[in-house]
Structure formats: structure tokens, C-alpha cells
């Protein structure tokens, strides 16, 4: 009997919780059901904005912007809606992504963007810039840092850059030797990584 009463009370509480959730008012950000024709008119404005962004070209004659928009429209009143719009702008080495909240208003029977609020911006996505490499030839080359020692004679070198700073060095030589001994103050995670690398096949890890 006790088990039966406990299960019954649990069912009653669950039903009460479901009813309470169902009666909660919709939040302002919740996308209300809007008529199909109205949605088409609102999205047409956003599509034109995205198309204008894409049509713009940089000095090299290349497309460098794109836009996209959300499908959830926040109703302010019958003549005003808000929606999220994302704008990407690419440069030689960075991609900037901006999040806007656009306000669309019905003015004299036509929908138009009447306000743009920048909510956030992110531009930490970077890439290599093709063509910024520098090429060198050398009679003798030596390098020693953080346990890595390299010596070479009679070779060529390519230095690649990222954000105007040297990012990688590639070189070949007729005589090339190298060695690596981890520094004594190498951190725990670096030591673990080095130990793992040593377990790889010799052809993949030559030190």
C-alpha cells in the first residue's frame, strides 16, 4: 500500500508540473507563429541584404563578405519585428564575424530594416596569407633552441609568416643533421607528449 501511494503521489505531482509549464507565458524571444505571407515578406528584406553583402568585392575583385539570418522573429508589435543577422568579413589573414539584431518595420506597406544593433563581434579566426613567404639560400645554417639543435650546409630556406610574424621554417640542404633533447624544465604535459611521441614508429619520430 505504501508503494502504491508513493507512485500515485508522484504521478499527481508530475501532472501538476506539466500543467504549470503549459500555462507559462511565452517569452518575448519565442518565435510566434506568423502568417506565411508575412514571413516571406520579412525574409525577402533579409535576403536582399545578404545578396548586397555578397555582391561587394575587394580591391582584388574577390567576394569578401557574406550574410545569414535567423528564422526566429521576435514580434514587437504588428508593424515591428526583430531578428538576428550574422555578417562575415574576410581579410587576408582574419575572419571577422559580427552578430546584429535587426529591427524590421512596416513603413507605408513595405517592410524595411530600420535599426541595426551590433551585439557581438569575433575575429580570432586566422589563416595563412598566400604569397608572404620569403626565400633564402645559405652556405651554412645552425639553430639551437629549447633542446632542438639543427646544423646544415649548402641549402635553401623558406620562411612563412602569420600575422606578420615568422610562423614556420622549411629548409633542405646537402648536409643536414639534427637532434632533440627535451629541456630539464619541460612541463608535465610536454613530458607526457614527448613520451607518447617516442612510442610512435621510428619513421614518424626520428629523434
Amino acid at each position: 500500500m505504501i508503494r502504491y501511494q508513493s507512485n500515485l503521489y508522484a504521478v499527481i505531482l508530475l501532472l501538476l508540473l506539466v500543467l504549470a509549464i503549459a500555462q507559462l507565458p511565452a517569452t518575448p524571444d519565442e518565435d510566434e507563429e506568423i502568417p506565411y505571407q508575412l514571413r516571406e515578406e520579412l525574409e525577402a528584406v533579409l535576403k536582399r541584404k545578404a545578396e548586397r553583402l555578397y555582391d561587394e568585392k575587394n580591391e582584388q575583385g574577390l567576394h569578401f563578405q557574406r550574410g545569414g539570418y535567423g528564422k526566429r522573429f521576435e514580434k514587437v508589435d504588428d508593424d515591428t519585428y526583430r531578428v538576428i543577422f550574422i555578417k562575415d568579413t574576410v581579410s587576408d589573414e582574419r575572419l571577422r564575424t559580427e552578430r546584429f539584431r535587426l529591427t524590421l518595420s512596416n513603413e507605408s506597406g513595405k517592410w524595411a530594416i530600420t535599426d541595426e544593433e551590433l551585439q557581438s563581434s569575433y575575429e580570432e579566426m586566422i589563416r595563412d596569407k598566400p604569397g608572404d613567404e620569403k626565400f633564402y639560400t645559405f652556405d651554412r645554417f645552425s639553430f639551437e633552441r629549447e633542446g632542438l639543435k639543427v646544423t646544415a650546409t649548402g641549402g635553401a630556406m623558406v620562411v612563412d609568416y602569420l600575422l606578420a610574424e615568422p610562423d614556420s621554417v622549411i629548409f633542405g640542404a646537402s648536409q643536414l643533421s639534427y637532434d632533440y633533447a627535451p629541456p630539464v624544465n619541460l612541463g608535465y604535459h610536454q613530458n607526457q607528449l614527448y613520451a607518447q611521441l617516442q612510442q610512435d614508429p621510428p619513421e614518424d619520430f626520428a629523434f
Side-chain angles (χ1 to χ4, degrees):
M1 176 63 74
I2 295 176
R3 182 179 301 173
Y4 172 78
Q5 288 180 338
S6 299
N7 292 338
L8 180 60
Y9 292 150
V11 171
I12 293 174
L13 289 174
L14 179 60
L15 289 174
L16 291 174
L17 178 61
V18 171
L19 290 174
I21 294 175
Q23 294 177 359
L24 289 175
T27 61
D29 292 334
E30 187 174 341
D31 188 19
E32 299 181 7
E33 288 295 331
I34 61 177
Y36 175 80
Q37 182 61 36
L38 174 58
R39 178 177 291 276
E40 288 288 296
E41 294 175 3
L42 293 174
E43 290 192 6
V45 177
L46 301 172
K47 288 178 182 178
R48 288 195 294 270
K49 179 177 179 62
E51 289 170 356
R52 286 195 298 270
L53 286 176
Y54 180 77
D55 288 341
E56 293 186 34
K57 296 183 179 181
N58 60 17
E59 297 176 352
Q60 289 76 38
L62 302 174
H63 300 285
F64 69 104
Q65 295 183 122
R66 65 183 178 188
Y69 53 89
K71 299 293 185 178
R72 297 172 61 87
F73 291 91
E74 176 191 347
K75 181 178 180 179
V76 180
D77 54 48
D78 290 341
D79 292 322
T80 310
Y81 285 83
R82 296 194 182 105
V83 68
I84 297 301
F85 190 91
I86 303 297
K87 175 184 175 183
D88 288 335
T89 304
V90 66
S91 60
D92 288 336
E93 296 177 292
R94 288 188 182 274
L95 174 65
R96 182 175 71 250
T97 298
E98 297 170 294
R99 173 189 170 101
F100 294 88
R101 186 172 72 168
L102 305 185
T103 300
L104 292 83
S105 303
N106 189 346
E107 298 180 339
S108 303
K110 289 188 176 182
W111 289 95
I113 298 172
T114 55
D115 186 62
E116 296 188 14
E117 176 190 351
L118 178 62
Q119 293 188 318
S120 62
S121 179
Y122 182 81
E123 50 183 326
E124 297 305 317
M125 295 185 65
I126 58 177
R127 64 175 183 179
D128 286 332
K129 176 184 176 182
D132 67 346
E133 304 88 356
K134 293 185 178 180
F135 300 84
Y136 305 90
T137 58
F138 58 84
D139 295 327
R140 180 174 176 80
F141 173 83
S142 63
F143 175 86
E144 184 173 358
R145 185 172 180 180
E146 298 180 2
L148 177 64
K149 181 185 296 185
V150 180
T151 59
T153 58
M157 175 189 301
V158 181
V159 181
D160 195 12
Y161 292 80
L162 184 64
L163 301 179
E165 294 291 335
D167 179 60
S168 60
V169 178
I170 304 172
F171 60 90
S174 57
Q175 297 293 328
L176 176 65
S177 63
Y178 52 89
D179 189 24
Y180 177 65
V184 294
N185 60 345
L186 200 63
Y188 172 78
H189 294 292
Q190 289 82 1
N191 270 318
Q192 293 296 312
L193 177 59
Y194 181 65
Q196 180 62 45
L197 289 173
Q198 288 180 306
Q199 298 177 15
D200 292 340
E203 61 270 19
D204 293 335
F205 191 72
F207 295 115

